[in-house]
Amino acid sequence: MTGYQLAQVNVGHIVAPLESPELADFVANLPEINALADGSPGFVWRMVDEGGADNTMLRPDSADRLLLLNCSVWESLAALRAYVYQSAHLRVLSRRREWFVRHVEAHQALWWVPAGHRPTVPEATARLALLRELGPTQRAFTFREPFPAPSGEPAPTA
């Protein structure tokens, strides 16, 4: 066990406003999928908006009302991978083309954070930008090209 946990961010452009009929099933599935994440082995934390249930009211780009951001922290890459690809989350993930515009660039980034750290929106979007600019590195990587957690104790944060 290291003193690090895995942070992840993913963004997506929804095909229509959240309150539209096109997004009704997506919105209806959010409570179940968020509860599944919250109860999954290795889950640590997920970002929520002021409503406290999910993150759908938070917009990482105030000029883009259809851009959603999801950010969470997990004990390990294996725990996040199991939730994403081996749980009921996969059923909802398989329907993403119904609700989200196809991505032309990286939409998800992973990185190691000191245990107890909670990423902010600017931090998460900076990691995604780093991945888009440099490709997978220790500072921002993907499921396909993961990096191990740093060895040693994390530096104290201010």
Side-chain angles (χ1 to χ4, degrees):
M1 178 100 186
T2 70
Y4 290 89
Q5 297 172 323
L6 184 72
Q8 76 80 30
V9 61
N10 65 76
V11 297
H13 279 97
I14 50 179
V15 297
L18 282 171
E19 48 287 335
S20 69
E22 293 90 342
L23 272 288
D25 278 352
F26 172 74
V27 172
N29 277 289
L30 282 175
E32 175 188 347
I33 292 305
N34 287 332
L36 178 65
D38 295 352
S40 292
F43 171 81
V44 175
W45 169 88
R46 66 181 166 86
M47 188 179 287
V48 296
D49 57 33
E50 292 179 5
D54 56 46
N55 205 24
T56 55
M57 299 312 292
L58 193 151
R59 297 293 183 274
D61 180 351
S62 61
D64 187 346
R65 301 300 301 159
L66 299 181
L67 181 63
L68 300 183
L69 177 143
N70 175 284
C71 185
S72 59
V73 175
W74 295 77
E75 286 292 333
S76 67
L77 181 64
L80 175 59
R81 189 185 311 264
Y83 166 71
V84 172
Y85 298 114
Q86 298 168 356
S87 75
H89 176 267
L90 185 59
R91 174 183 48 81
V92 175
L93 181 65
S94 69
R95 295 183 63 193
R96 67 187 179 277
R97 297 285 177 258
E98 297 175 39
W99 305 314
F100 290 89
V101 175
R102 187 174 184 89
H103 303 281
V104 294
E105 56 187 348
H107 68 281
Q108 181 182 54
L110 311 173
W111 72 102
W112 296 104
V113 296
H117 177 76
R118 303 296 178 253
T120 62
V121 170
E123 177 186 353
T125 55
R127 295 293 178 147
L128 186 57
L130 191 63
L131 178 64
R132 288 173 175 169
E133 180 183 343
L134 302 175
T137 65
Q138 179 72 35
R139 296 170 55 202
F141 50 90
T142 65
F143 276 122
R144 286 188 180 169
E145 295 185 57
F147 283 75
S151 58
E153 289 298 312
T157 57

